[in-house]
Every structure is written in C-alpha cells, then in structure tokens.
C-alpha cells in the first residue's frame, strides 16, 4: 500500500457508527437534500410563471409551485435555526 492509500483509509475510519463525524454527515446530507429540493422547486416555479405569463393555462401549476417552494424554504430555515440554538 502506498502512503496516499493509507491516508484515505485512515480518513474513512472516522465515519464509524457513534462518531461525531457520522452525526455531522447525516445533518450535512439533510442540508444538501433540502437545498436541492428548494432549487428544483424554484426552477419549477419560475418555469410555470413564465408559462403562465405567456398565456398558457399553467396558473394552477404556478400557484402550487410557489406554495411548495415557500414551505420548503421555511422548513429549511427552521431546521438551520433549530440546529444553531443547540
């Protein structure tokens, strides 16, 4: 084994069950998932708004997209604030 391979193995050892890094990984993955959801909903909301502005009958999709985006962003902010209080 080369020294660089040994370093990679040592770094992965900290992700064992019960370690602090493992708990942080779960939180980080949740943040990434919420951010990705907000991004997809934002793209959907903008696209449906453009479609509604062009005269297509996409008003229902537009309203639903903006409501879902607002809820997802509020949930993201709530979890971040709750985590900072702890």
């Amino acid at each position: 084994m080369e020294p660089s391979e040994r370093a990679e193995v040592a770094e992965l050892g900290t992700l064992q069950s019960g370690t602090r890094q493992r708990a942080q990984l779960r939180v980080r993955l949740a943040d990434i998932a919420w951010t990705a959801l907000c991004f997809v909903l934002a793209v959907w909301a903008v696209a449906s708004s453009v479609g509604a502005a062009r005269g297509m009958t996409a008003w229902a999709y537009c309203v639903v997209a903006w409501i879902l985006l607002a809820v997802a962003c509020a949930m993201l902010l709530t979890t971040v604030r709750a985590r900072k209080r702890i």
Side-chain angles (χ1 to χ4, degrees):
M1 233 188 219
E2 294 181 17
S4 63
E5 291 177 18
R6 285 188 206 140
E8 290 176 18
V9 172
E11 289 176 13
L12 291 178
T14 60
L15 292 176
Q16 293 177 356
S17 185
T19 60
R20 184 174 180 172
Q21 287 83 3
R22 179 79 173 235
Q24 290 173 345
L25 177 66
R26 184 174 293 134
V27 169
R28 181 140 172 112
L29 287 176
D31 285 344
I32 291 169
W34 276 110
T35 304
L37 177 65
C38 289
F39 178 77
V40 168
L41 287 173
V43 169
W44 181 35
V46 170
S48 63
S49 296
V50 169
R54 288 185 177 179
M56 302 168 89
T57 56
W59 287 106
Y61 291 115
C62 180
V63 170
V64 170
W66 285 107
I67 289 172
L68 288 176
L69 178 62
V71 169
C73 287
M75 292 299 297
L76 177 63
L77 289 175
T78 302
T79 56
V80 168
R81 286 182 186 161
R83 195 173 318 121
K84 285 188 178 184
R85 272 189 262 151
I86 295 176

